[in-house]
Amino acid sequence: MSGPPVSIRGHFPHKEIEHYSSLHPKARHLQFSYGTAGFRTLGVVLDSVLFRVGVLAALRSKKLDGKTVGVMITASHNPEEDNGVKLVDPRGEMLEAAWEAHATNLANASNEDFSDVLYDFVRDSRIDMSKPSRVVYARDTRPTGESLVKALEDGLKAIGAEGRDAGITTTPVLHYLVRAINTKGTKEEYGEDSEDGYFQKMSEAFRKLVSGRPRIPPLVIDCANGVGAPIAKKLAEYLGETLPFVLYNTDTTTPGGLNNNCGADYVKTQQKPPPSLNGVLQKGQRACSLDGDADRLMYYFIDERNYFLMLDGDKIATLVAAFIVDLVRLAGLAEQVKVGVVQTAYANGASTKYLADKLPVRCTPTGVKHLHHAAEQFNIGVYFEANGHGTVLFSPSTLEKLEKHEPSTPAQSTALRHLNNLTQLVNQTVGDALSDMLLVEVVLAHKAYSAIEWNSLYTDLPNRLVKVHVPNRNAFKTEDAERRLVSPRGLQKKIDDLCKRYDGGRSFVRPSGTEDVVRVYAEAVLRSQADELAFRVAGMVYDEAGGDPHRRPKEYY
Ligand code: NG1
Ligand code: ZN
C-alpha cells in the first residue's frame, strides 16, 4: 500500500513562477554550468539564468530558516561583454557544493518543465515554503548588469522573497554585507550592515595599525576601469592622508574599457604593467592592480635597472604570514595559536620553500572554496592563489583567545593589540583587493620595507603558464591537489622524466575549471628552461589528446 502523496510544506506559487518564468525564457540550445566561479558566460545570454538564480537564492534562504543569502552579478577579470552570477551563503562564504548541482539543473530545465523541476526540487530538498526568505544582491559596472538585476528581482518576486539591492559594489563588499546582516545583534557581530560600515571597520583598524609610523608615500592603484574605482575613491575619503592613493583606470563608462589592457589578471598573465602606467611609475614606487570586481590584487614596481617586478599572491602570502607569525610569537601565543599557509600548485616553488621553513604549508586544488576550507583548519590560516585572490582567516577560538589573553609585558600587549586590529582589518569572508592592500601597507609600514625589500625576501623561479586547446579536456584527470595526472595513463611519467632534465624543473597539467582548455604550468631555475619545459609539456598534452598534427601550435616545438 502506498502512503499519502508526498507534498511540500507551505504554498508552492505555481502561478507566479509560470508568469515570471515566461518573461525570462531559456534559449533551447544553451547549456549552463555552475562552476568554480558560478555561472559565467556572455552577459546577453544570461537573462533566464539570473531569473532562476533569483528563485534558487530565495529557496536557499528558506532552507536556511530565513537567513539572508547573497547574490553577486559579475564576471570578475573576464572581458566586459561577459557576465556571471554567484551565490553567497549566510556566513559570507561560497555556496555549499551540493547546491551547485541544483543550480546547474535548474538553469538547464526547459521552459515547459521549469515549474515541475522546481517543485520536485523543493519537495526532495524538504524546503518549507512557509519560511521567510531574504536575499541581498549587488552587481559590478558591466553594461549587462542592469537588466540582469531585473531578471534576478523577478525570480525573487516569483517566490515572494524580500530583496535588498546593494547597488553597484565589489564582490568583497557583498560578502561582507551578507555576513554583517546575518550576525547583527549576535556576539559574532561582523560590523554594520552597510557599505559605510565596511569602510568604517577597515579604515579604523588601518589607522590604529599605522599610527605612530612614518608617513606612507602615495600608492598607485590601477582600478581596471571597474567597480574598484568608485569603491577605492570612497575608501580614500575614509583614509585621508593616512594612505594617499593615486587612482588610474577609473573610467567605468566608456564601452570596452573594463579589464582591457589593465587590471590584476592582465598584469599577472602578461607579466608587465598596464600600458596606461607607462612613464607614470617612479623607480621603486609601489603600484597595484585590482581586477574587475576588486577581489584580486597584484602589486608591482619598476626597479633601478628599469625592470618590472611583480609582487603576486605568493609574495603577499609570504609577507603577511611571516608578519603574523612574528606577532603571535611576540604576543606570547606561539604555543597556543598555530599559523598555517594554504596555496595551490600554481604557487611559485620559491615561495613554498621560503614558507615551509617557517610554518606549515598546505596545497589544495585550484578554486577559492578549497583554499578557504583548508585555511579554516588552522588557528590562523593565510590563503592566497598566485593570481592575487586570498585572505586571512582567524578561527572563532583564536578570536576568543586574542580577546581574552592577558599579556605579561608591554611588548606582548602591543603585539596583541596589533593582532586584534588585524582581525578587524581583514575581510575574512573572501579575498578582498582593498582589504588585502591595506594589510600589505600595514606590514610594509611595520617592517619599514620598500617594495624592493619586500621583493627580496625570496626570488621567484621563472615560470610559464600555457593553454592547450584539446578536443576533450575532461580526459585529463588529476590527483594530489592537481599536481599529478592519473589520466591519460602514462603521460605523468613522461612529464616526470622530462622535468628531471631541467634544473629546478617542475611542471603539472590540469583541465581548467573556467575555460575549455588544459593548462600547463612549468618552472625552472632559468627563464629559457621554464619556457622550454612548458612548451614541451604542452606539445605532449596536445599530441596525447589527439590534437590535429597539422594545427599543432608551432611554439610547442
Ligand atoms: P581555472 O580556469 O580552473 O584554471 C582560474 C584560475 C583560478 C581561479 C579561477 C576562478 C589560474 C591558473 N586559474 O581557474 O586560480 O581564480 O579561475 O576565477 O589562475
Ligand atoms: Zn575577481
Side-chain angles (χ1 to χ4, degrees):
M1 213 179 87
S2 61
V6 184
S7 63
I8 59 175
R9 293 195 59 173
H11 165 70
F12 185 84
H14 278 287
K15 262 211 191 107
E16 290 81 351
I17 286 165
E18 270 163 22
H19 165 68
Y20 284 108
S21 172
S22 72
L23 304 178
H24 304 281
K26 174 188 170 290
R28 261 171 216 293
H29 64 286
L30 293 174
Q31 283 293 308
F32 303 99
S33 163
Y34 195 101
T36 34
F39 291 109
R40 196 179 286 187
T41 183
L42 271 180
V44 290
V45 305
L46 276 167
D47 187 76
S48 66
V49 173
L50 263 291
F51 164 72
R52 293 171 186 204
V53 164
V55 168
L56 186 72
L59 295 175
R60 177 93 186 131
S61 172
K62 285 186 189 288
K63 177 71 190 174
L64 300 173
D65 217 11
K67 292 219 174 58
T68 297
V69 163
V71 176
M72 183 69 203
I73 302 174
T74 177
S76 186
H77 54 280
N78 283 35
E80 186 171 297
E81 59 273 23
D82 285 358
N83 214 328
V85 61
K86 256 187 307 197
L87 275 91
V88 179
D89 265 355
R91 288 186 55 77
E93 73 279 42
M94 303 289 170
L95 175 70
E96 181 189 300
W99 277 57
E100 292 180 1
H102 300 322
T104 300
N105 270 344
L106 286 182
N108 290 321
S110 69
N111 295 315
E112 302 71 46
D113 293 347
F114 179 66
S115 177
D116 292 345
V117 171
L118 192 67
Y119 185 90
D120 292 351
F121 166 64
V122 168
R123 184 195 58 210
D124 298 347
S125 304
R126 299 172 187 277
I127 294 168
D128 181 347
M129 295 301 285
S130 63
K131 295 273 179 176
S133 175
R134 301 182 184 97
V135 177
V136 58
Y137 51 93
R139 67 175 177 102
D140 69 12
T141 54
R142 278 163 213 273
T144 47
E146 199 176 343
S147 76
L148 293 179
V149 163
K150 299 222 161 64
L152 177 86
E153 286 172 340
D154 278 354
L156 303 181
K157 282 184 210 153
I159 302 291
E162 190 187 309
R164 171 170 161 185
D165 185 359
I168 296 180
T169 194
T170 68
T171 295
V173 167
L174 192 265
H175 283 251
Y176 166 92
L177 286 175
V178 172
R179 179 112 150 221
I181 291 169
N182 286 309
T183 54
K184 208 170 176 172
T186 72
K187 78 178 201 330
E188 286 159 7
E189 188 154 314
Y190 197 58
E192 201 196 294
D193 63 330
S194 63
E195 211 177 65
D196 177 58
Y198 166 85
F199 288 124
Q200 288 282 2
K201 181 178 174 183
M202 223 162 58
S203 57
E204 245 172 58
F206 182 76
R207 277 175 192 280
K208 288 183 190 159
L209 280 157
V210 298
S211 90
R213 310 269 152 190
R215 186 172 276 260
I216 305 176
L219 172 66
V220 170
I221 307 176
D222 153 28
C223 299
N225 292 323
V227 69
I231 300 296
K233 268 183 211 155
K234 288 187 200 165
L235 178 61
E237 286 166 25
Y238 286 80
L239 295 173
E241 279 305 295
T242 359
L243 176 58
F245 294 163
V246 190
L247 302 180
Y248 279 85
N249 301 323
T250 56
D251 179 358
T252 57
T253 51
T254 305
L258 177 67
N259 295 325
N260 188 12
N261 283 324
C262 58
D265 194 57
Y266 175 89
V267 172
K268 177 68 177 162
T269 53
Q270 302 293 314
Q271 311 201 2
K272 61 183 184 200
S276 47
L277 293 189
N278 286 343
V280 167
L281 298 182
Q282 319 263 323
K283 285 178 180 169
Q285 184 176 18
R286 294 146 19 267
C288 63
S289 287
L290 320 176
D291 73 338
D293 61 340
D295 63 352
R296 285 192 191 184
L297 178 70
M298 278 290 142
Y299 264 76
Y300 43 92
F301 68 103
I302 308 290
D303 77 358
E304 279 305 312
R305 302 160 303 166
N306 263 330
Y307 287 164
F308 167 76
L309 290 159
M310 193 159 60
L311 297 151
D312 64 359
D314 302 338
K315 290 270 180 182
I316 297 173
T318 50
L319 181 79
V320 167
F323 179 63
I324 293 178
V325 166
D326 279 354
L327 284 180
V328 167
R329 187 175 42 76
L330 289 170
L333 286 165
E335 288 306 312
Q336 304 168 50
V337 175
K338 296 292 172 204
V339 185
V341 177
V342 184
Q343 304 183 309
T344 71
Y346 290 107
N348 195 280
S351 74
T352 313
K353 189 165 176 295
Y354 176 88
L355 285 165
D357 287 342
K358 301 180 172 35
L359 72 184
V361 182
R362 298 270 143 78
C363 181
T364 70
T366 307
V368 176
K369 63 175 182 240
H370 299 295
L371 288 117
H372 194 97
H373 287 148
E376 282 175 335
Q377 310 307 311
F378 293 109
N379 299 137
I380 302 179
V382 178
Y383 75 84
F384 269 89
E385 292 192 289
N387 61 31
H389 185 110
T391 186
V392 183
L393 302 182
F394 298 80
S395 75
S397 69
T398 304
L399 289 174
E400 207 168 302
K401 247 176 227 154
L402 294 179
E403 214 174 283
K404 295 204 174 129
H405 182 63
E406 299 280 351
S408 36
T409 64
Q412 281 196 358
S413 154
T414 307
L416 189 65
R417 202 178 60 239
H418 292 331
L419 280 170
N420 273 310
N421 285 329
L422 284 182
T423 67
Q424 301 300 301
L425 179 70
V426 173
N427 186 341
Q428 294 181 54
T429 60
V430 78
D432 180 337
L434 294 174
S435 158
D436 290 339
M437 180 185 82
L438 296 184
L439 177 59
V440 165
E441 293 297 321
V442 164
V443 185
L444 297 181
H446 276 243
K447 297 269 186 194
Y449 280 167
S450 65
I452 301 158
E453 286 150 328
W454 170 16
N455 184 52
S456 66
L457 293 180
Y458 66 86
T459 307
D460 269 327
L461 285 170
N463 57 85
R464 179 69 56 197
L465 190 58
V466 180
K467 286 184 199 180
V468 187
H469 294 268
V470 297
N472 175 20
R473 75 184 200 279
N474 299 321
F476 290 77
K477 300 214 173 351
T478 62
E479 63 177 6
D480 187 22
E482 304 180 327
R483 287 173 291 193
R484 300 189 62 78
L485 278 175
V486 285
S487 118
R489 275 173 78 104
L491 183 54
Q492 186 59 48
K493 168 89 173 59
K494 289 187 197 161
I495 297 172
D496 290 344
D497 290 345
L498 193 63
C499 283
K500 282 188 203 129
R501 291 165 38 195
Y502 294 82
D503 190 10
R506 179 173 76 95
S507 179
F508 67 92
V509 173
R510 58 176 279 279
S512 160
T514 61
E515 277 180 85
D516 192 14
V517 295
V518 168
R519 294 196 202 282
V520 172
Y521 175 91
E523 63 187 25
V525 170
L526 295 177
R527 152 71 39 218
S528 57
Q529 301 255 295
D531 291 346
E532 189 178 303
L533 179 57
F535 289 120
R536 284 243 164 105
V537 174
M540 283 174 6
V541 166
Y542 187 83
D543 297 342
E544 187 71 43
D548 179 350
H550 301 291
R551 300 175 63 184
R552 191 176 199 262
K554 273 200 284 304
E555 64 270 29
Y556 294 169
Y557 303 106

